[in-house]
Amino acid sequence: MAKRSGYEQAYQRFNLALWRRIISHNHRWRRVEKLYNVARECSHRWMYIGEWVLAFLFIGWATMRWSWDNLKNNTTLVYPLFQVSTLECRTLERSSMPDSCKIKLPIIHNADYSTYVNEKDYTDIYTTLWGAPYEDPWNQWAWAHYGVDIASAKWTPLYAIADWEVYSAGYNSAYGNVVKIKFKFNGEILFATYAHMNSISVEAWDVVVKWQQIWEVGNTGNVFGALGWYHVHFEIDKNNGWRPAYAFSGCPELDKGHSEIIKNGYCRIQLFQYTKDPIAMLESVDAPYPNQAAETQEPKPVEKEESHGVATGDVVETGNTNTSTGEDVKVVLPGEKKIEDKPLNVEKKNLIDLNFDSLDVNGKEFVNKWNIEIEKGFDDSIMLEQSTQIIIRITNKVSWAKFNGALNIPITAIASNTNVSLNPVSVMLVQDGEAKITITPVKMWSTYIALNLGNAKIWGTTIAIK
Ligand SMILES: [Zn+2]
């Protein structure tokens, strides 16, 4: 027998491999097909039953959730707040606030805004009305704020205005911590939104009862116009197929953006179509305070897990917090200081007055090392045409050296309304121990100006513009 050529050997090997491959391939597919057929026969029956079970479960669940008849109709409502904080105390925390800081929410009877527009007690609390712009917060004529902003100190309790359930609860970059309650009022499904809360203590589907404390005032999210002031944005949305309608749904100018819409009142038709004036709605049923029986005592929070002393996001020093240094800041008298050249009017000059515990780690470190002094260029009033200054002076507590450079926590200036403009609103750079904030009056009346170090208030004063 002739020796097989290399070619023949290779050819034979190739053929063998090919046939093995084809056989194993077919074999595998036959196995798969067989398995599939068996599974199909078995599962047909089960799938049929399963489908019916699922359908029944869904119908039952949907009936429970969405039946009109199961919803409790509210014919009365309560206000979302009971006690609020006076303007002077706005930057304090509710838990450490003296009783003199607390007042009952002023009521805009019959939603008659024109009666109260010049009442400071009202305009300090209701900082932007429904339908108004942030720049002219009590003018409802042609603008588009889709809720009412009610200002109060951090941790002020908020209450459910009606019986029903939490539709959603969570964080949103614009609204901050936000909860929506779905409720039926005089036969209509509505959604009440509470925004910028400090923390969340309810979940979607939780059932809430009228008067139940569900939330607390904070300043999370995009706190437009308020520049850090704590307030609740309280909004009433109509329903859009069992969902809350967006205030500006279908508005042709939607792409101009939230703040432009509100400023210019672009989507006012949609505003009326999809939202309600919350104050007008509450006043339509002469809503009482959420807890009228407890006028002298603070209502107890419901189902709160965390302590009120610690704000979300705050870093709390556990080991080496020296609370006595908080007092040091106040003990040093202006007379003992060597702040240079300009003769200072001691009357107008204040050491900062702050709650040491409210500072974060960086803030504590900073005030342990540095004295902050505030000098104001006015007594208590200025003329409309005149601008004035606040001078912030920062010196070393030990060496009296002047601070030079960038602060690692900004000092921010806040005004309670738009009667003045502040420039800059945030101080980052301090040269020769000094930074200035210019106050330019815009409108006659008065305003409250405060300075914050990080989140902690360090100084505040009221200024009248004549
Ligand atoms: Zn708002």
Side-chain angles (χ1 to χ4, degrees):
M1 200 171 138
K3 202 182 166 203
R4 280 186 301 180
S5 67
Y7 170 75
E8 273 172 336
Q9 278 180 31
Y11 181 71
Q12 209 169 26
R13 268 204 300 277
F14 170 74
N15 253 346
L16 200 67
L18 182 69
W19 278 109
R20 271 196 190 129
R21 220 184 140 83
I22 289 167
I23 288 162
S24 77
H25 186 80
N26 280 345
H27 206 74
R28 195 170 66 216
W29 279 111
R30 210 175 301 132
R31 267 206 316 257
V32 168
E33 203 189 336
K34 216 169 160 184
L35 268 173
Y36 174 74
N37 283 336
V38 171
R40 199 169 53 173
E41 274 161 32
C42 286
S43 67
H44 251 66
R45 190 167 309 167
W46 288 110
M47 273 166 73
Y48 183 72
I49 294 167
E51 274 166 14
W52 274 104
V53 168
L54 280 176
F56 273 120
L57 283 175
F58 179 77
I59 290 164
W61 177 75
T63 312
M64 262 168 54
R65 281 297 172 202
W66 288 322
S67 165
W68 276 79
D69 295 328
N70 281 353
L71 305 181
K72 189 179 172 188
N73 187 36
N74 292 273
T75 53
T76 59
L77 302 169
V78 296
Y79 267 84
L81 294 111
F82 166 53
Q83 275 184 330
V84 292
S85 313
T86 59
L87 182 57
E88 292 68 31
C89 305
R90 191 74 47 80
T91 50
L92 299 177
E93 281 195 18
R94 186 83 179 175
S95 51
S96 56
M97 187 181 278
D99 283 345
S100 60
C101 289
K102 297 171 186 172
I103 51 167
K104 277 203 288 185
L105 177 75
I107 301 295
I108 304 173
H109 292 291
N110 303 313
D112 177 9
Y113 301 110
S114 60
T115 306
Y116 304 95
V117 65
N118 293 319
E119 303 270 335
K120 199 172 142 24
D121 292 350
Y122 282 78
T123 53
D124 281 351
I125 305 290
Y126 296 93
T127 53
T128 309
L129 296 181
W130 178 81
Y134 297 117
E135 291 78 3
D136 197 0
W138 271 59
N139 186 345
Q140 292 186 297
W141 173 239
W143 294 281
H145 184 228
Y146 46 90
V148 59
D149 288 345
I150 304 174
S152 190
K154 186 178 180 179
W155 303 119
T156 301
L158 292 163
Y159 301 88
I161 62 157
D163 290 322
W164 213 14
E165 69 189 17
V166 177
Y167 175 78
S168 66
Y171 185 84
N172 170 295
S173 61
Y175 280 113
N177 287 322
V178 55
V179 68
K180 269 182 198 287
I181 293 177
K182 187 159 94 173
F183 66 103
K184 190 177 179 184
F185 172 57
N186 288 339
E188 188 183 7
I189 302 285
L190 295 168
F191 295 82
T193 303
Y194 302 68
H196 311 309
M197 279 350 89
N198 216 44
S199 64
I200 298 173
S201 56
V202 287
E203 287 177 355
W205 304 116
D206 279 0
V207 172
V208 292
V209 291
K210 201 185 289 179
W211 295 20
Q212 185 181 340
Q213 186 192 320
I214 52 162
W215 222 252
E216 284 142 343
V217 170
N219 70 341
T220 55
N222 198 341
V223 198
F224 265 109
L227 287 174
W229 284 108
Y230 291 90
H231 75 277
V232 57
H233 169 98
F234 182 64
E235 176 188 325
I236 303 294
D237 298 314
K238 297 180 186 174
N239 90 78
N240 189 0
W242 306 107
R243 289 203 170 86
Y246 173 58
F248 306 136
S249 291
C251 171
E253 272 128 338
L254 202 58
D255 60 347
K256 293 205 164 70
H258 182 101
S259 58
E260 283 299 296
I261 290 172
I262 294 176
K263 208 156 98 183
N264 300 302
Y266 286 134
C267 305
R268 212 164 150 81
I269 292 166
Q270 287 75 21
L271 180 79
F272 289 125
Q273 204 173 338
Y274 297 119
T275 69
K276 277 175 182 273
D277 179 349
I279 302 297
M281 187 185 76
L282 292 163
E283 280 302 289
S284 72
V285 286
D286 210 4
Y289 288 114
N291 198 350
Q292 274 185 327
E295 290 192 8
T296 49
Q297 81 192 52
E298 186 89 349
K300 286 274 182 292
V302 178
E303 312 171 0
K304 279 297 289 181
E305 286 146 32
E306 56 180 62
S307 133
H308 285 198
V310 181
T312 322
D314 271 3
V315 184
V316 180
E317 268 187 340
T318 46
N320 57 345
T321 306
N322 180 2
T323 40
S324 68
T325 39
E327 277 140 33
D328 286 347
V329 177
K330 293 165 196 164
V331 168
V332 183
L333 295 170
E336 297 169 18
K337 314 229 23 221
K338 295 176 188 169
I339 292 184
E340 308 292 297
D341 34 82
K342 279 186 217 158
L344 286 176
N345 180 347
V346 177
E347 292 279 305
K348 292 183 188 177
K349 199 181 67 166
N350 299 281
L351 278 171
I352 58 163
D353 178 21
L354 87 164
N355 175 3
F356 186 78
D357 293 332
S358 66
L359 291 167
D360 66 9
V361 174
N362 288 333
K364 283 174 179 161
E365 200 179 295
F366 187 81
V367 298
N368 278 339
K369 194 171 172 195
W370 301 94
N371 265 321
I372 308 173
E373 262 191 350
I374 313 296
E375 183 193 349
K376 54 177 186 170
F378 53 93
D379 286 320
D380 46 20
S381 68
I382 51 170
M383 305 302 284
L384 189 56
E385 305 79 28
Q386 184 192 347
S387 58
T388 184
Q389 279 183 329
I390 298 171
I391 303 171
I392 303 161
R393 296 179 200 280
I394 304 175
T395 48
N396 190 288
K397 279 193 168 175
V398 180
S399 68
W400 304 115
K402 293 169 181 173
F403 187 97
N404 243 320
L407 299 169
N408 60 358
I409 345 168
I411 294 177
T412 46
I414 296 161
S416 64
N417 53 35
T418 51
N419 294 349
V420 292
S421 77
L422 301 169
N423 184 37
V425 289
S426 180
V427 171
M428 289 300 292
L429 208 64
V430 178
Q431 280 182 316
D432 278 339
E434 216 175 86
K436 288 173 187 166
I437 292 169
T438 302
I439 305 168
T440 311
V442 175
K443 249 194 297 198
M444 282 218 260
W445 205 247
S446 68
T447 190
Y448 179 77
I449 296 167
L451 295 179
N452 281 7
L453 178 65
N455 280 328
K457 180 196 161 187
I458 57 172
W459 180 85
T461 190
T462 301
I463 178 168
I465 303 146
K466 291 177 176 166

